Amino acid sequence: SHTFGLRLLCVMCCNLDTLLLLESQYRVSEILLQSQKDNVSDASVGQGKFIIDGLSVERNHILVRMNLIGGPSERFLPPRALQKGSDLYPWPMFSSYPLPKCYLLDVPKMPPCTQDTEINTFLTFSKNPEKQASWMETCRKQFCKAMTTRSMIMTSSVLADLLEKAVMNLSANTSECFFSLTEYKG
């Protein structure tokens, strides 16, 4: 029944609202850390060795899941089961903060984006896009090329410039204009 309760707690902590409620109302992480502290072989000496069983492994997994935010490329979640062989659980157990560094993965630095600079160069050197008939077609090709090859690294400032110039182009071409331009008297 303890294992079922810990598994249920693990699922509940996947929702940020539930995790914040459990943490603010019941201080779940403190209870789990205290349970880890109590689960040592010789507590009277001070720093004893952790007793590795199904419950301590599950608590360790939950504590890492609760305290490290991110996906599989940003954190390493320890397994919930014991291994076969001489080393049943090679991942470090902990009973106080900070978490061991082995659970944090190094996020690789993103290389500078060539598509971003290609679009930026295109936008910079296209003078008066509203007066160029083929500008919109070239813009579409550049944008599609950038989005299909490396969409994750296009910067927001380039997208804002692209949108602004595309709107100017569409507004200037009456055949492409969706709404008629009206002048307001103030």
Side-chain angles (χ1 to χ4, degrees):
S1 68
H2 280 74
T3 305
F4 175 75
L6 288 172
R7 292 273 170 120
L8 180 63
L9 179 63
C10 186
V11 171
M12 291 172 64
C13 289
C14 290
N15 182 327
L16 185 59
D17 292 332
T18 307
L19 173 63
L20 292 173
L21 176 75
L22 290 170
E23 196 57 37
S24 65
Q25 295 291 319
Y26 304 107
R27 308 221 186 283
V28 174
S29 61
E30 289 178 19
I31 294 169
L32 291 172
L33 285 171
Q34 186 59 46
S35 294
Q36 291 291 76
K37 283 180 190 170
D38 295 342
N39 198 32
V40 291
S41 59
D42 196 6
S44 61
V45 178
Q47 287 286 66
K49 286 189 66 130
F50 283 101
I51 299 171
I52 297 178
D53 59 356
L55 295 176
S56 62
V57 168
E58 190 68 32
R59 281 192 299 266
N60 195 55
H61 179 86
I62 294 170
L63 284 166
V64 172
R65 183 180 289 273
M66 287 173 60
N67 290 292
L68 289 180
I69 297 173
S73 63
E74 299 165 324
R75 67 179 178 178
F76 176 75
L77 290 176
R80 304 165 104 169
L82 298 172
Q83 309 284 315
K84 291 183 180 180
S86 61
D87 196 5
L88 294 175
Y89 196 73
W91 294 271
M93 295 283 204
F94 62 96
S95 59
S96 63
Y97 295 119
L99 273 69
K101 297 282 185 201
C102 66
Y103 295 120
L104 256 176
L105 295 178
D106 292 329
V107 179
K109 300 264 190 260
M110 301 279 285
C113 175
T114 57
Q115 285 84 6
D116 196 51
T117 53
E118 286 176 19
I119 290 179
N120 202 10
T121 304
F122 167 72
L123 292 174
T124 303
F125 291 115
S126 60
K127 306 286 185 219
N128 299 328
E130 61 274 358
K131 294 182 181 173
Q132 298 174 6
S134 64
W135 184 89
M136 190 55 118
E137 187 58 35
T138 309
C139 180
R140 282 185 184 127
K141 287 178 184 174
Q142 288 282 336
F143 180 72
C144 288
K145 178 183 171 188
M147 292 306 290
T148 55
T149 54
R150 300 181 86 175
S151 63
M152 296 300 291
I153 51 178
M154 187 179 291
T155 60
S156 59
S157 62
V158 172
L159 284 173
D161 288 344
L162 179 72
L163 183 62
E164 182 181 337
K165 290 194 178 188
V167 167
M168 285 177 20
N169 182 283
L170 289 173
S171 298
N173 288 335
T174 55
S175 63
E176 298 278 336
C177 194
F178 294 111
F179 303 103
S180 60
L181 295 174
T182 55
E183 292 197 25
Y184 294 98
K185 296 178 182 174

